[in-house]
Amino acid sequence: MNMSHDLYAEALSTFAALFAEARAALREIEYNAMTVATATAGGRPSARTVLLKSFDERGFVFYTHLASHKGREIAVNPHAALLLLWRSLREAGVQVRVEGAVEHVSDAEADAYFASRARMSQIGAWASLQSQTLQSHEQFEARIAGFEQRFAGVEVPRPQGWTGLRVVPDAFEFWYGAQFRLHERWRYERAGDGSWSKRMLFP
């Protein structure tokens, strides 16, 4: 294993250790909540909070509908930035930033995750026309009832277009908060040739 690959493994290991620490922290209610920032083809950004559902050496996965606002932006500009903030960790909180290209997970991976969801979450994925205009809450309730009837007594299949998106990292930043804004920041970056580097940043 070369030094460059070691650095990528180091970044992933650092993230995994912090993620486990946040998961064990009593004050971090949604330890896997993260901001996902995307942008239009013209560079107009938008951001929202989603849940990190898995991560490994391939990247960081969240689930959505491809017709959603973020899904449409990723279709024309397949890059994203992630931010996880754990305010209760260490001296004054920890932030992790991940940036990279976005790819779809396999159908098998998306099917397996969808099958693990609560049944009403599965029904909701069918009922919600994600990011489209909703005329009234009654309209949504009617759609939920309709799909409950449609799938009564059978397993709910994954809707077409509902899938996982994987952010393949080309940069990490680990931010460790400190008093008086004397924060510690480490940045890992992948170069065009695939090699990784690591450096400290001023706070």
Side-chain angles (χ1 to χ4, degrees):
M1 183 181 295
N2 60 40
M3 182 61 180
S4 174
H5 191 80
D6 283 347
L7 287 175
Y8 183 52
E10 178 181 289
L12 289 173
S13 178
T14 300
F15 179 85
L18 290 169
F19 191 77
E21 189 175 337
R23 184 173 188 170
L26 297 178
R27 292 174 58 191
E28 297 294 339
I29 298 173
E30 285 196 309
Y31 61 91
N32 61 334
M34 64 180 184
T35 300
V36 176
T38 56
T40 64
R44 184 180 179 90
S46 63
R48 74 289 294 160
T49 302
V50 303
L51 298 179
L52 174 63
K53 287 303 182 180
S54 66
F55 66 92
D56 56 23
E57 68 280 358
R58 298 171 298 170
F60 295 72
V61 175
F62 63 94
Y63 286 84
T64 190
H65 200 289
L66 298 180
S68 67
H69 185 82
K70 57 185 170 297
R72 295 194 304 271
E73 289 191 343
I74 287 169
V76 298
N77 186 357
H79 298 85
L82 312 177
L83 172 65
L84 294 99
L85 169 64
W86 299 304
R87 295 287 301 181
S88 71
L89 297 193
R90 309 294 176 89
E91 180 183 350
V94 173
Q95 296 184 68
V96 180
R97 296 170 54 194
V98 180
E99 302 163 9
V102 182
E103 64 182 24
H104 294 186
V105 304
S106 68
D107 286 343
E109 190 172 351
D111 287 341
Y113 173 71
F114 189 81
S116 75
R117 304 182 88 208
R119 184 176 179 85
M120 278 308 300
S121 295
Q122 295 174 335
I123 294 291
W126 279 89
S128 176
L129 301 174
Q130 195 173 348
S131 300
Q132 296 186 32
T133 300
L134 176 64
Q135 299 300 328
S136 67
H137 193 69
E138 289 73 21
Q139 179 190 12
F140 190 31
E141 290 177 337
R143 287 183 60 81
I144 291 171
F147 283 108
E148 284 185 300
Q149 182 177 11
R150 174 177 171 179
F151 296 119
V154 299
E155 293 185 359
V156 181
R158 178 171 62 91
Q160 183 177 3
W162 191 99
T163 191
L165 296 174
R166 176 180 288 110
V167 178
V168 181
D170 56 37
F172 293 85
E173 185 183 322
F174 297 95
W175 179 99
Y176 302 92
Q179 292 184 342
F180 312 113
R181 296 188 58 81
L182 304 178
H183 313 310
E184 180 181 344
R185 297 172 62 189
W186 288 94
R187 185 166 178 86
Y188 296 74
E189 293 176 303
R190 184 176 63 186
D193 63 1
S195 63
W196 283 84
S197 62
K198 175 185 177 181
R199 59 195 172 99
M200 292 187 72
L201 302 176
F202 278 105

